[in-house]
Amino acid sequence: MKIACKLVTVAWLCAAAQAGAQAPETTPGAAPGPGPQLTQSMIRDAVRAVLAEEAQARDALPQPQMQQVTIRADRKYEQFAAAFAEAKVPDCLHPDGLKRQPTSIGPIGIGGVYALPFVAIAKLRGKCN
């Protein structure tokens, strides 16, 4: 929004300056005519001027040291982070609490409220905190 306002203002000022240089003098009692017409070249020049001003303002600001350094995560770091997350012992009452304690009896899987005894067993075995 800020850039758009600047563009309109700069374009209008450019148009007014060109119209003032080309238009003949008007009498003080005469009503002013329509405003100056904007052309593509005037708009293009105004846009370039505002973008250059914004770039200068952005480049003039000091950047923190952390933004100057680019950190790239390699595959080794991603593998380490995944292994670390997997090695963490989960809390028993969280959704991943039974990831190391199977909640099945043979081929029959048990879930919901019926899995509560498995939570107690996992706590006793140290599979969750």
Side-chain angles (χ1 to χ4, degrees), residues 1 3 21 29 34 38 55-56 60 65-66 72 75 81 91 94 106 108 117:
M1 183 67 183
I3 292 175
L38 294 177
Q56 285 178 345
Q65 188 68 19
M66 287 301 292
R72 183 174 164 257
R75 185 173 177 179
D91 189 11
H94 284 110
I108 302 170

Side-chain angles (χ1 to χ4, degrees), residues 15-98:
Q18 284 184 356
Q22 296 171 355
E25 295 280 332
T26 59
T27 60
Q37 297 295 320
L38 294 177
T39 62
Q40 290 293 336
S41 63
M42 291 170 29
I43 294 172
R44 186 180 321 113
D45 294 339
V47 168
R48 287 182 180 155
V50 170
L51 291 177
E53 180 183 320
E54 291 291 324
Q56 285 178 345
R58 185 178 56 245
D59 292 342
L61 294 175
Q63 291 188 359
Q65 188 68 19
M66 287 301 292
Q67 289 183 354
Q68 295 175 0
V69 177
T70 303
I71 299 174
R72 183 174 164 257
D74 290 334
R75 185 173 177 179
K76 292 179 184 179
Y77 295 117
E78 292 172 1
Q79 288 176 345
F80 176 75
F84 187 80
E86 182 64 30
K88 179 184 166 197
V89 177
D91 189 11
C92 291
L93 300 178
H94 284 110
D96 64 342
L98 296 175

